Structure formats: C-alpha cells, structure tokens
Amino acid sequence: MAWDFETDPAFEEKLAWMREFIETELIPIESILNELPADEWAVVKRHLQDRVKAEGLWGAFLDPKLGGAGFGQLKLALMSEIIGRCMFSMVIFGVQAPDSGNMELLAHGATDAQKERWLWPNLRGEISSAFALTEPFHAGADPTVIGTTAVRDGEEWVLNGHKWFITNASVADFLLVFAETNPEGRPHKHASVFVVPAETPGMDIVRDIGTMSHPTAEYGRPGNHAEIVFRDCRLPADHLIGAPGDGFVLAQQRLGGGRIHHAMRWLGQSQRSLDIMCERAVSRTSHGRLLGQHQMIQDYIALSHMEIQAARLLTFQTAWKMDKYGASRVRAELGMVKAHVSKVALAVLDRTIQVCGALGYSTDLPVESWYRTMRFGPIGDGPDELHKSVLARTLLKGYKPVDGWPTEHVPSRRPAAEAKWAELRADAGLR
Ligand SMILES: Cc1cc2nc3c(=O)[nH]c(=O)nc-3n(C[C@H](O)[C@H](O)[C@H](O)COP(=O)(O)OP(=O)(O)OC[C@H]3O[C@@H](n4cnc5c(N)ncnc54)[C@H](O)[C@@H]3O)c2cc1C
C-alpha cells in the first residue's frame, strides 16, 4: 500500500494563507466574540467570509460533482486542523456543522428544484439549517428506532413527534427532520428526511437546552441545542428528500467526511492547548525548577505530543483511504478516528488544565471552556462505544473459530515445530 500525505505547493500556499488569516484576523477577537453587537458582527462576518471566498476556500467540504470546491478528504483534513485552532473559523470558512453535513445530504438526495431552494442558498451562506434526529424518549445511539412519524395525507405529509438537542434549530431557516414513514422497513428503510422551514405551523421550538458548554443557554443563539415538538405539522409533498425510506442512507451521507473534519478540528484545538501547556511549563517555577523541568510535567507534554501526532496520522490515513476507496470502504475506520481522537483531545485539554493549575481551571484561559465543549465529543455523532463496537465486529469478521486448542497453543505446535526444524536442517545440509 502506498502512502502519501503530501500536498502540492499551490495548496500549501492556501494552507499558509489560512494559518495567517486565522492567527491575525480571527483569534484576536475570539475572547469578545459573544459580546459583539449582532448587527455589526453580521457585516464584519460577511466581509471575512468574502475574503475566504476570494481565496477559493469557502465551503470546501463539498465534492465538485456535488457543486462544491472539492478538495478531497486529505486536503480537508489539513484545512480542518487549522480551522480547529479557532473554532468559530468554521463559520467564516463555511464549513460549520450542522450545515456542512446537511448540505452533503441535500447534495446526494435532493432534486434540482430542492437544491435551488435549500442547498445552494445554504452553501452561499444566505440561509442556515439544522438536523433533527435525536429524541428524548428513544436512544439517539440507535436511529433504527424513533418515535417521530410522517404520514402521507393527499399532497401533504403530516409530522408528529418530539426531538431534542437539535443544534441551531432555534435560529435555522430550515430543519432536516428524520421521521418514520415505513415502519415495515426497519432497521434501515423505515425513515425519511423532510425539510421543515422555520415557522412552519405545528413545529414548536420549545426551548434551547442548557449544556456543559453553555449552562445558561439564552434562547435563539447560534450554537444552541433545541427541544422541538411536532404536532400535526403539515408539509407539502415536495419537502420529502429522496424516496420514502431513504432517510437512513441519506443520513449516512452527512457523517462520513464529517467525522474526519471533526477529528482534525479537535486535534487543531488540542495542539493549541498543548502550546498553552508548554508556554506555562517554560514560564513558571515550582520547588526551584521550571514546571517543564519536573519529570511528571515532561510526561504530560511528551504524551500529549505523541498522542496528537499518532491521532493525526491515523486521521490522515483514513482521509487518504476515503479519497482513494470511498466512504463505505472505511466506515469502521471513520468511527475509530472519531472515538480515538475525542479521547486524545479530552486528555490533552485535561493535562493543560492540570499544568496551568488554578489558572487552567479559570475562565482567564480558554481551555476550561474548550474542555467543557469537548466533553460532547465521545457522545455526539454516535457514542464512542458504538463506533468501537462496529470496529470490533469488523475486525472479528476477519477471524475463523477453531475447535480445541488455539492456533498459537505452544504444546500443540511442538510436533510441527520439530518437523520444520528437521526440514530446515536437511535443507542446510546438516546430517
Ligand atoms: C452538544 C450536542 C449537540 C447535538 N446536536 C445534535 C443535532 O444537531 N441533531 C441531532 O439529531 N442530535 C444532536 N445531538 C444528539 C447526539 O447525536 C446524541 O446525544 C447521541 O447520538 C447519543 O444519543 P443519546 O444522547 O440519546 O444517548 P443514548 O443513545 O441514550 O446513549 C447513552 C449512552 O449509552 C451508551 N450506549 C448507547 N448505545 C450503546 C451501544 N450500542 N453499546 C454500548 N453503549 C451504548 C453510551 O455510553 C451512550 O453515551 C447533540 C448532542 C449534544 C450533546
């Protein structure tokens, strides 16, 4: 198998531009972002997005045959790592979740008319979207069982159900809602995806839910996670994406590359966190030595670096394989990347807090906030346990059961070992 994670010089220049742009234009305003006047921020945000568009770096996740810039997963992984140094860059580069995944879904499943109405304006950044799958009374980890239903009534679909943790639902212009249309089609042909425009009668956005990341969620802010009730919510027939029962397959489309981009953004943030840890380690003294001269702190630093590097390589390799063989061939690997990197990122953030002591725990540094937000990693987009289970089952398919002693049972192998030894002796001319 050939491996090559190098990119061409022209693309390296793009990456350098991104690094510089994020470092000099975005990171400096990060700490006051939530205080900026909304109307002024809208203008400045548009200006920053235009600069990204002028560089040809906007909405880079979508394949060219689906209407995007089409960088491929490996290049996107490199871009995502840079974007991860400053998480709000996602908005400026047009790659923020859940919009990016939703656009992938629409690109795969929508008709031309539906694309005109929802995909292209979403890709241009004129409208925003949310994706509603998780429910309060059914395990989100198992989307083969959901309670939300959509029933056809003449030229309309009628939605009933209950969703929660739906990111951006309270500010989105439309929601992609996962609802059961074909109960007989379980496990994977039972549900469909519908576009529900904001303000559709029958869709009640009950509240935005407080989380570790934002304990006092103020209703209607981007990045919030909403609880929603659908009561006889009527949708025109053309708001169904794909055919009835296609929901599961379509929902898969929004997850593949997304896991790589998530992972690389988390690693970008982990590296920034390690930078904070190292700066502190060479700046502060305890017991007559710099923190970085204490072996346990050296262990934290070395371990964090090793884990980040190993995780980067794992993610790059998976991205490269995805470009070469397609998402379906690397399904288990995508889950492995997500499950592994989420743990690495949490561990590095945790060590940074530890090395920075009370300062690390405080809001004077950004790490405590990153840590609280990152805790979502092992839960969201399918809990890590599920990805590990898929990986283990995939690996187990490569093994056959044996009767009796294991293949590597030393006493059972002895006769074969002795026979082989006799053969090798004879071959070598020994009598
Ligand atoms: C910040 C945030 C944003 C989110 N945004 C969205 C969104 O925009 N749209 C959306 O639809 N959803 C969203 N979610 C929901 C998210 O996708 C779910 O939380 C996730 O899929 C897990 O589902 P659940 O919370 O119902 O946990 P459950 O399915 O109840 O699982 C709980 C725990 O049980 C264990 N578990 C479950 N299944 C297995 C298994 N097979 N093997 C071993 N252990 C298992 C795991 O430890 C798991 O963490 C968001 C969640 C958060 C926290």
Side-chain angles (χ1 to χ4, degrees), residues 131-134 138-141 165-167 225 376 379 381-383 385-386:
F131 182 76
L133 167 61
T134 308
H138 293 87
F165 282 98
I166 310 310
T167 305
H225 316 285
F376 151 79
I379 299 171
D381 181 15
E385 289 89 341
L386 207 66

Side-chain angles (χ1 to χ4, degrees), residues 36-47:
L36 302 176
D39 51 342
E40 291 183 13
W41 170 236
V43 176
V44 174
K45 183 174 76 176
R46 182 67 65 193
H47 175 65

Side-chain angles (χ1 to χ4, degrees), residues 51 63 66 84 115 186 192 209 259 327 337-338 403 424:
R51 289 171 65 185
D63 213 59
L66 299 175
K115 285 178 184 168
R186 279 203 180 123
S192 305
I209 306 166
R259 290 196 176 127
V337 163
K338 186 263 176 187
D403 284 331
L424 290 172

Side-chain angles (χ1 to χ4, degrees), residues 97-98 102 129-143 163-169 176 178 209 211-213 223-226 254 338 372-373 375-387 389 393:
N102 291 344
S129 63
F131 182 76
L133 167 61
T134 308
E135 303 187 350
F137 304 115
H138 293 87
D142 180 10
K163 302 282 183 186
W164 76 340
F165 282 98
I166 310 310
T167 305
N168 284 350
L176 294 179
F178 198 80
I209 306 166
T211 63
M212 273 178 84
S213 183
N224 279 356
H225 316 285
R254 63 187 303 287
K338 186 263 176 187
R372 284 186 287 110
T373 303
R375 187 58 188 83
F376 151 79
I379 299 171
D381 181 15
D384 285 0
E385 289 89 341
L386 207 66
H387 295 297
S389 172
R393 281 185 276 128

Side-chain angles (χ1 to χ4, degrees), residues 273-286 290-302 304 347-361 365 367:
S273 164
L274 179 56
D275 294 342
I276 293 171
M277 190 193 314
C278 291
E279 186 191 73
R280 193 68 173 165
V282 297
S283 307
R284 194 163 171 90
T285 303
S286 145
L290 288 170
L291 291 181
Q293 290 171 325
H294 292 288
Q295 284 193 348
M296 283 197 221
I297 305 299
Q298 291 168 354
D299 181 52
Y300 293 156
I301 291 166
S304 300
V348 174
L349 292 171
D350 186 58
R351 286 182 207 120
T352 305
I353 292 172
Q354 188 70 16
V355 171
C356 294
L359 176 66
Y361 186 74
L365 285 182
V367 195

Side-chain angles (χ1 to χ4, degrees), residues 115-189:
K115 285 178 184 168
E116 280 305 324
R117 199 159 170 197
W118 295 299
L119 171 59
W120 306 132
N122 203 186
L123 185 62
R124 290 193 295 267
E126 293 159 9
I127 58 174
S128 69
S129 63
F131 182 76
L133 167 61
T134 308
E135 303 187 350
F137 304 115
H138 293 87
D142 180 10
T144 63
V145 184
I146 55 169
T148 302
T149 58
V151 177
R152 184 79 187 230
D153 181 23
E155 283 309 296
E156 291 180 322
W157 288 92
V158 185
L159 243 73
N160 279 288
H162 198 161
K163 302 282 183 186
W164 76 340
F165 282 98
I166 310 310
T167 305
N168 284 350
S170 61
V171 292
D173 296 289
F174 70 92
L175 277 67
L176 294 179
V177 179
F178 198 80
E180 184 154 276
T181 48
N182 304 62
E184 74 290 350
R186 279 203 180 123
H188 297 124
K189 296 291 283 179

Side-chain angles (χ1 to χ4, degrees), residues 236-252:
D238 66 358
H239 283 42
L240 167 71
I241 304 297
D246 279 356
F248 207 88
V249 174
L250 285 171
Q252 291 288 337

